[in-house]
Amino acid sequence: RYSAAERQAGTLRAAGNLDRGTQKAAQKPNGESMGKTIKVCVRTRPTAQFAAGHIAIDADRNAITIDKGHEASPDGVCNNAQSRFDFRFHHVLHNASQDTVYETLARDVVQDVVDGINGTIMTYGQTGSGKTFTMLGDMNNYVHRGVAPRALAHVFADVAARIETQYTVVCTYMEIYNERIFDLLKALGDEDARNDYQIVEEKGGRGVFVRGLTEVEVASEAEALNLLYSGQLARTTAQHKLNRNSNRSHSIFTVTLRQQSRSGVSEKVVTSKLNLVDLAGSERLKKTMEGADGTAYDVDATMKKESMYINQSLTYLEQCVVGLSKRAPQHVAYRQTKLTGVLKDSLGGNCATLLFACMWAESAHLEETVSTLRLAQRMMRVQNTAEKVQTTDPARLARKQERLIRDLRQELLMHDALADRSGVKYDPYTPEEQAIIAAQCRRYADADEARAADLLEFDSVRQMREMCAQFKKLLRDAEAKAVRARTAMTSAGGVPTGLFAGDEVGMGEDGGDAEAAGVGDAEAGRGLSLGRAPDASRPLVVVDARSPERASLAERSVGLGAESPSVDAFSAELAGSPLSKMGDGDIVNDRSRAFEHYKRQAGRATHEKLQRAKRARSDAKSQIRDAAARADAAKRDIADVDERLEETRRRRREKIRAAGRDDDDVVDDEEFVLMRAGRDAKRDYRDAHGAWLAARRDHAAAALDVDATKAQLVDDFQQFFAQLQRRAGLAEEAGPGDKLDDQEAFDKLEMERVAAQDPDALAFFRAQKTRRATATQNRSHLRQLHRNKRT
């Protein structure tokens, strides 16, 4: 009905309207952004057999036109199938370099992740179209490295530059093979590599993640590259006609960043993650298993099963994209496959997503190219919301609340001082103050109505509550006293001689509990007693008196040993080493300056760990002092109560002798109150002593942690400084028995060459050598691992 030119013009107009409609849909009526569409970049694989007669690329307009041409039917029937397709994308990169690919769009996504917004970079296309090359690049060539290595370098460069923010970087690596999730960061040869991992979603926090994956915290680009390349060795691959090293699984390398202020003024923690997704290529067995002469290879069951699972998961992925691209809201079946379940945040969720659609622009792959570009165009219609995810650090929040409470108490004290309310207290009442309030309540209860109104004065709500508590205690004591009196009179037929005696109320001779007999009593030359320990009790740690561990523990005990040398002492020791050759402004020649530089850069994680251990040791010291102060106060209370109790008993005995009575066993109310106060004081002493022992154990453990961390910091710096000197040519000449072999000498020369050409390439170079060594040393384990997966 229409000519080819008319059909082409109509298709271009539709594509342009679609692109403008997508842009309008991302804008609110007032122009504010309400969503963020998925960015799509098409990259062509360089080939000498480019289908120039069928594919036209307009890089200026970011448009691709594909004309397959009409094939005449054998029976002469007119073929009305669509043969011309026009597509428009955000970017089209034709024969572009790896650097251009990263700088065009990927850099913006990685920068958003460092700023606190989730990001996903995904490669999609047919098998052999260059997806893995785009994501990983050539692992033996620094210039041709892919998006993932460049993204890791970008992340750690920005993290090192933002000294006011504390970052924690954690990596996970997984693959989805035949609808099973495998952890690529597990140790090679691990028999437990086929666990059933669970995909979970944490609202307002981590989002969607796989529970049970190995999470490795990294502190440098080299460590992250080692994880990336070692995990790639464990990935399942196979060989067919279109690709010698075809990936048979989808892989997802996730970098999670947690950032918070170093100043400690804010308890907010911003969490973001970068998903680097390398999808397996869609394929047809007819093309992948066909020989050069047209004959088909023998298709084994494993390859057939793998192709089925790959195509099935990609089909479900396209179904989710189609559902998300529609205007009317509808159910999106994320749970149909593990791939869409893991990518739920990246497709229509809180994430800035970038899709690289890789195409193989040859005549033999026109159908696969059209299929790839169709899904890429649908992906442009999917709306994501990209916003920061903030959580609260419980420890920092608790410290902030403590500071707030302390400040509010100071404000109240100032207000009370200005209002002439100097007697108001906001701290918990001491046992002595509670005894005074109890005496006031007793006087109020015994006074008549005319005098009762003048006996109580309330200064604060805390005092009113304490008054109520003391009245409640007096009421319960009176009720218990009445019950004991009725019981004694019923059994003896008169006033019992043992009323309120210690054996009747379950107290010892001094008013304490039977189980706490002897607690708080002074022992000659040994302090206060804690009571009798149970027969089955044993010490927590048994240390031989002759062992060196006893001397080490004694040195670390509070007040018995000197503090361990600080980091500054280590720095001074290193600075005075004979190996140091002082220079002007060169850290290679100055050990002390090199040590300070190491603590701020490469050894920052260990140095921060040391500071945390020191703070824990200091906190334990403070707890020891506080517990000791409480124990001393309790001892003074016990001594005071014992003295007052003895004086009360003495006066009672004198009254009894003056009256000529013989009822010495009767305990009056004042003596009963003192007996209860003594029991409470002894309980406070036991609690304080227990807290003191626990704090001492915490201090000993923290001291061990400080010593171990110091040793680790110094050892790591020694290696760092030696390597720094070797790179600068300042290392001491090796002795006759310490010569480098040929391989070590070659590695040294190669490292110096790389450092001279491009210092930024050192991390990539080290990771490359580590990958080669891992592949060589674990060749049999890798083969067995791949064999176990595919069987």
Side-chain angles (χ1 to χ4, degrees), residues 593-604 606-607 712-718 720-721:
R593 292 186 59 195
F595 187 70
E596 296 297 328
H597 175 77
Y598 177 76
K599 289 192 298 183
R600 292 192 302 267
Q601 300 295 331
R604 184 175 64 180
T606 307
H607 179 61
Q712 178 185 355
L713 182 65
V714 173
D715 293 341
D716 294 345
F717 170 71
Q718 296 282 21
F720 168 80
F721 191 73

Side-chain angles (χ1 to χ4, degrees), residues 478-500:
E479 292 176 348
K481 183 177 179 180
V483 171
R484 290 195 298 270
R486 286 196 297 270
T487 304
M489 292 180 66
T490 303
S491 59
V495 179
T497 59
L499 186 61
F500 303 125

Side-chain angles (χ1 to χ4, degrees), residues 221-268:
E221 176 190 355
E223 295 180 8
L225 286 176
N226 286 335
L227 295 179
L228 177 66
Y229 290 155
S230 62
Q232 185 65 19
L233 290 175
R235 191 174 174 186
T236 308
T237 58
Q239 180 179 357
H240 55 70
K241 176 188 174 183
L242 300 181
N243 195 345
R244 281 189 313 178
N245 195 23
S246 174
N247 292 315
R248 315 305 295 167
S249 63
H250 312 294
S251 70
I252 303 175
F253 185 81
T254 303
V255 182
T256 304
L257 280 74
R258 297 180 73 253
Q259 52 180 301
Q260 56 191 73
S261 175
R262 290 185 183 274
S263 61
V265 297
S266 176
E267 70 279 3
K268 298 297 183 182

